[in-house]
Amino acid sequence: MSDTIIAGLSLLVSAINAVLYFRLQGKYNEMTKTQTLTAQGAIETQVRNSISDATKEVLHYATEAEKNPSSKVTQQAYFSAEEMYRNAYEDACAKYLDKKIDVERFVKMYKQEIYKLVNDPQQKEFYATNQTTYASTVAVYKNWFSQS
């Protein structure tokens, strides 16, 4: 009889443990999801800031180059700013391909910008080669626009 009572209590304790485990697992999953969304948001903000900063640099040096077209230093600074701009998009596209950011939001925010960048006559040479250093940008572009 005491063996039956011990077995019954063991079963009760096991059932309670199972219920508590599933509750805690649900809370853990919720916390993990929240942390993932927070991390994605931080990465998306970093991407947007990087592109924004690069755009400002290009505009700044384009203005300076117009003021002083004979300055080689200004021209070099402008070309460096353009490279920083392309690199910002390359980094963003790499994060998109790795699914480190929200895919749907990325498409909404950057589809037209990437189209314009890759088709810009002044930038096209950087994206038109098979050995491009901007492989992620080209991959995203082809994914979005080669099917159209």
Side-chain angles (χ1 to χ4, degrees):
M1 177 101 165
S2 67
D3 288 341
T4 306
I5 294 173
I6 291 174
L9 288 175
S10 294
L11 181 62
L12 180 63
V13 168
S14 293
I16 291 171
N17 280 339
V19 168
L20 290 176
Y21 171 78
F22 286 114
R23 282 186 184 171
L24 289 174
Q25 185 69 28
K27 289 180 182 181
Y28 173 78
N29 289 342
E30 188 71 28
M31 285 181 3
T32 302
K33 184 179 178 183
T34 301
Q35 288 175 338
T36 300
L37 291 174
T38 301
Q40 275 186 338
I43 292 171
E44 289 171 13
T45 300
Q46 179 261 330
V47 164
R48 189 76 220 148
N49 287 342
S50 177
I51 290 172
S52 178
D53 291 347
T55 302
K56 289 175 190 174
E57 287 289 310
V58 168
L59 292 174
H60 170 75
Y61 287 111
T63 304
E64 292 299 314
E66 281 184 18
K67 290 179 186 175
N68 191 0
S70 61
S71 171
K72 291 184 188 240
V73 172
T74 302
Q75 290 295 325
Q76 187 59 44
Y78 173 73
F79 293 136
S80 293
E82 277 193 331
E83 183 176 8
M84 187 172 84
Y85 180 73
R86 290 187 299 272
N87 287 338
Y89 275 99
E90 177 67 9
D91 184 51
C93 289
K95 286 177 174 54
Y96 166 81
L97 292 171
D98 292 341
K99 294 182 176 42
K100 292 183 179 179
I101 56 179
D102 184 278
V103 172
E104 289 180 31
R105 186 171 25 252
F106 185 85
V107 173
K108 288 178 187 174
M109 290 179 69
Y110 297 107
K111 188 171 186 176
Q112 291 306 313
E113 290 183 40
I114 290 171
Y115 180 84
K116 289 176 187 176
L117 175 65
V118 173
N119 289 298
D120 181 341
Q122 294 178 337
Q123 301 294 327
K124 211 168 187 166
E125 68 182 278
F126 298 102
Y127 299 103
T129 66
N130 290 335
Q131 299 293 325
T132 181
T133 57
Y134 305 105
S136 295
T137 306
V138 171
V140 169
Y141 177 84
K142 285 181 178 179
N143 182 27
W144 291 347
F145 299 106
S146 292
Q147 299 169 4
S148 300

